[in-house]
Structure formats: structure tokens, C-alpha cells
Amino acid sequence: MFLASLGTDSLLELTCIFKKKIQNTSSHEGQLRYLTYTLENAVLNLPQGQDKMVWLIDFTGWTLAHRSPFKTSRETMNTVQNHYPERLSAAFMFNPPKIFEASFKVLKVLIDPKSAQKLNFVYKENEESMKTMYNHIDPEVLPVEFGGKNSVVYNHEDYSKLMTRDDIKTASFWGADGNHAMNGHSVPEVKSQLSLTVAKAS
């Protein structure tokens, strides 16, 4: 799901929601391609004047059976850090099981220390951790399942339509007359399709 919400600096931030439990591919290359596709669409949908985004990674229902291979996790970290530096404002790992926290200690050595400081473990029953998330995602637009007040639910058909629009937008952007820029500069006249009604699965 792409959500637009007021951040800590009272400017709009883009929030990307990833639902780990419903990830439906075990292909290493496929997962990396989808990650890049998702991040490119997120960048394209950033509010004017903004260059950072918030990630909400939902681990509800996640088990070791959903775990990605270490190679895929490592390449995911490399892709984010080497090709999308400083795009991340904050990341919230929602309701991760204890086993994931143990695994994360191993993965953390692959993360740039500056980026690692932006990662937060959030538990729905832990009021303090939820307050930290609310500093970045307005409860009014945050879905109820994550402790917010928005009754939005994931609808794959609606999401697919939005992604089709974004594909057209991307093609228009790269097919323009060479004046490629983002976030309020020289970009083709295509309005942002930020959605408050569909959720993104990955």
C-alpha cells in the first residue's frame, strides 16, 4: 500500500506497506526484480518536494517457512543501500516474532550503521513503540490492522489497476524529451496516484 501521511516535520511522507506473510515467490531473481519495481514506483509517487519514504513491514503471521534465503536478504540490503541511498526516512518492523529478532542480529552486520538507526521494532501491544510509529504515520491514515483508524483493506484488483497506471506514468517519464527529474522539477504532466484504498503485498 502507498499511503500519504504527515511526518514529523509536518510534510507529506510516502509510506510503503509490505506484508511478508503473503509473499508468493521463492525466486531469488524474482524477489529482487519486484523489490526494484516497488521502489521505483514509490520514488515516482513521492509527494512533491520529498525524497524519502517510510516503510512498514508487516510480520504478522510470519514464520520460518516465509523466510527468504540469506543470499536474497543480502542482495536486498545491497540493492537498497547502493542504489537507493538516503531514500529511507524510517522503517517499522511490525509484530516480528522473536525468532526474527534473533535472525536480524545476523543481518544487521550487512546494514550501514546510519541506516540501521532508522529501523524500529514495533509491537501493537507496546504503546511506546506504537507512539514512535505514529510520529511518522498519521493514525488517521494508518490501517486499523496496524493500530490506526483507517478501515482500508488490501484489494488486489484495485492495486493492480494502480500499478498499471504507474507503469504508464513511468513509460511517459522515460519517453519525455530528456528533462528527467523528480519531485517538483521537470517531470511529465502526470498526477500522483497515491492510494488510501489499496494495500501493497510483497
Side-chain angles (χ1 to χ4, degrees), residues 50-151:
Q50 293 294 297
D51 59 6
K52 294 182 183 294
M53 63 188 79
V54 175
W55 289 3
L56 173 54
I57 306 168
D58 180 22
F59 282 90
T60 303
W62 185 91
T63 68
L64 288 176
H66 302 104
R67 178 178 54 181
S68 297
F70 181 78
K71 176 184 177 182
T72 303
S73 298
R74 181 184 62 203
E75 289 303 315
T76 294
M77 298 293 184
N78 287 338
T79 298
V80 172
Q81 292 181 165
N82 296 330
H83 299 285
Y84 299 90
E86 299 304 315
R87 283 293 189 189
L88 184 64
S89 174
F92 299 97
M93 290 171 278
F94 187 82
N95 280 345
K98 295 299 180 183
I99 188 66
F100 178 80
E101 288 196 51
S103 302
F104 184 73
K105 291 178 181 178
V106 177
L107 290 174
K108 197 172 181 179
V109 300
L110 304 174
I111 306 174
D112 175 77
K114 191 173 181 180
S115 297
Q117 292 179 354
K118 300 175 182 179
L119 304 179
N120 304 272
F121 286 92
V122 178
Y123 300 92
K124 197 170 184 179
E125 305 305 320
N126 185 310
E127 186 176 343
E128 287 305 312
S129 66
M130 292 297 290
K131 284 181 180 178
T132 301
M133 186 167 67
Y134 293 154
N135 286 335
H136 289 269
I137 309 174
D138 187 342
E140 294 294 331
V141 299
L142 185 67
V144 172
E145 63 183 306
F146 304 116
K149 300 178 181 179
N150 190 348
S151 59

